[in-house]
Amino acid sequence: MKAIVLEGEGKPLRLMDMPAPEPGPGDVLIQLKAAAFNRRDWGLQHGSARQPTILGSDGAGVVSAVGEEVPANWVGREVIINPSLNFGESGRAQGPDFQILGIPRHGTFAEMIAIPQEYVHPKPAHLTIEEAAAVPLATLTGYRALFSRGGLQAGERVLLTGIGGGAALAMLQLATTAGAEVYVTSGSDEKIERAKQMGASGGVNYRGADWVHELQTLAGGGFELIVDSAGGPGFAQLIDLAIPGGRIVMFGATRGNLPELTTRTIYWKQLSILGTTMGTAEEFAAMIRFYEQHRLHPTIDEILPLEEAERGIRKMDHSEQFGKIVVKI
Ligand SMILES: NC(=O)c1ccc[n+]([C@@H]2O[C@H](COP(=O)([O-])OP(=O)(O)OC[C@H]3O[C@@H](n4cnc5c(N)ncnc54)[C@H](OP(=O)(O)O)[C@@H]3O)[C@@H](O)[C@H]2O)c1
């Protein structure tokens, strides 16, 4: 079968012929129709992949066969994959066997994948197969960050940093739909305008010298909830932007480790700083229900043919994308 393979550190993604998988007991075999990139794929390409592995955590397709113990009526169904594998019993944090689909095990940028049926959900009927492929990882992460960890309530002021990212845009939809007043930051004025068209109440460019003050003026104060996946030097300002008693949820380090923070501000303002990663099977199911109930559609930057996967991932070098980069298989 055709697949997009990561051969080793820094190597361009290659379209290769790989052995087709067989469904084991409890598995379904999916004929994948679309897959989508996450920052993780970009990180893996720049990291330590040792042996040729099929990239990709996000995918959607049609079940073409089932292994033992799986009801035959799964065959022919359009499905979406939960890439949060073995999260474990405790909803508080993932267990020791947790894995994200797509390296070390083969991922979704392929014509076929065999995966335990428990990670497969019927595709929401209102989504195209390409849209369905753009949902899983980013929206699951955003759902847990906003609701389970962040405790978002309708009417709260929420700040989402780096709105051009896949996870940030997913959260913009989830949070505005849940009745929050959402503000954003971005390195691009154009992306801020697009976010406003999608329901953001305002936004500022984090490249501006006075962005913190601008944001406070715009929002009429600080934020009850801030969700950040950039980390790095800008995180110190988020401590200032949170209101007393506010929550800051973080799940990424696009800009690196945190800078020196002012300890007193954190305890004096009684802030909660919360880490989060991916989500449980229950959160994935709840996220899909939320998507169906409100008939949401993910923001897609571009849909490319499988052969052009390397061009797609290069767009992430300078955060050119607005939303998800999808590959049609
Ligand atoms: N722990 C988890 O479970 C989990 C899950 C998903 C993602 N992540 C991590 O979360 C991060 C985002 O993932 P993604 O897939 O959404 O990435 P992405 O689509 O590649 O988006 C990255 C975004 O980072 C923003 N950014 C760059 N510099 C910034 C700065 N100085 N301040 C604020 N934002 C900045 C850019 O936003 P603009 O273009 O608007 O400037 C860019 O679009 C990555 O680090 C990823 O590894 C973690």
Side-chain angles (χ1 to χ4, degrees):
M1 66 170 183
K2 283 195 290 182
I4 292 296
V5 173
L6 188 57
E7 291 183 285
E9 186 175 345
K11 300 236 175 103
L13 302 181
R14 260 187 67 195
L15 183 65
M16 290 174 70
D17 226 356
M18 294 289 279
E22 296 280 338
D27 286 349
V28 296
L29 183 68
I30 302 171
Q31 194 101 46
L32 287 156
K33 301 289 182 196
F37 283 113
N38 289 286
R39 176 62 52 178
R40 178 174 196 265
D41 304 310
W42 184 94
L44 287 165
Q45 192 182 34
H46 291 77
S48 54
R50 279 186 213 100
Q51 55 194 35
T53 317
I54 300 170
L55 196 68
S57 307
D58 282 343
V62 179
V63 175
S64 58
V66 293
E68 282 168 40
E69 298 154 27
V70 180
N73 63 3
W74 274 98
V75 175
R77 282 201 210 171
E78 287 191 312
V79 291
I80 180 170
I81 302 170
N82 174 9
S84 186
L85 310 181
N86 300 323
F87 195 92
E89 292 305 308
S90 164
R92 296 178 73 83
Q94 67 275 33
D97 299 328
F98 174 69
Q99 267 190 17
I100 301 172
L101 177 61
I103 302 182
R105 67 180 281 165
H106 287 310
T108 52
F109 282 74
E111 288 179 313
M112 271 181 265
I113 192 168
I115 186 140
Q117 180 257 307
E118 64 184 291
Y119 298 115
V120 165
H121 290 246
K123 175 183 81 64
H126 71 286
L127 297 181
T128 65
I129 204 88
E130 290 83 11
E131 286 176 322
V135 170
L137 191 151
T139 318
L140 172 64
T141 305
Y143 186 92
R144 180 173 168 91
L146 287 172
F147 300 118
S148 313
R149 301 291 282 152
L152 176 65
Q153 300 291 319
E156 287 190 317
R157 273 175 304 184
V158 176
L159 173 62
L160 303 174
T161 60
I163 198 61
L169 276 167
M171 290 190 290
L172 174 58
Q173 281 190 316
L174 297 174
T176 52
T177 305
E181 187 180 326
V182 181
Y183 293 82
V184 303
T185 70
S186 177
S188 150
D189 293 342
E190 192 197 325
K191 290 183 185 179
I192 293 169
E193 281 314 308
R194 290 177 73 178
K196 287 203 276 194
Q197 285 162 17
M198 290 172 61
S201 300
V204 301
N205 192 318
Y206 55 68
R207 297 185 205 281
D210 203 19
W211 69 271
V212 174
H213 186 239
E214 272 177 51
L215 199 49
Q216 279 165 328
T217 309
L218 205 59
F223 299 90
E224 278 94 354
L225 175 63
I226 299 175
V227 187
D228 177 69
S229 61
F235 194 87
Q237 282 77 35
L238 303 184
I239 304 284
D240 298 329
L241 283 164
I243 62 162
R247 297 96 68 199
I248 303 178
V249 180
M250 56 193 286
F251 60 80
T254 307
R255 297 222 40 223
N257 283 327
L258 299 189
E260 196 166 282
L261 300 174
T262 314
T263 313
R264 183 178 186 280
T265 315
I266 297 173
Y267 70 72
W268 192 251
K269 285 172 86 172
Q270 313 237 12
L271 300 182
S272 302
I273 300 183
L274 301 146
T276 190
T277 280
M278 302 281 286
T280 64
E282 291 73 25
E283 284 162 337
F284 190 86
M287 178 274 285
I288 295 286
R289 279 198 301 278
F290 191 93
Y291 233 77
E292 285 175 327
Q293 185 185 349
H294 299 286
R295 300 186 69 79
L296 301 180
H297 293 264
T299 310
I300 293 181
D301 177 79
E302 190 175 0
I303 300 175
L304 299 164
L306 190 64
E307 295 72 22
E308 291 182 31
E310 172 61 19
R311 180 167 80 75
I313 205 165
R314 291 284 63 81
K315 285 182 99 171
M316 298 174 96
D317 288 346
H318 303 289
S319 298
E320 285 168 48
Q321 79 280 12
F322 186 79
K324 301 287 294 183
I325 301 163
V326 176
V327 162
K328 211 174 155 72
I329 301 168

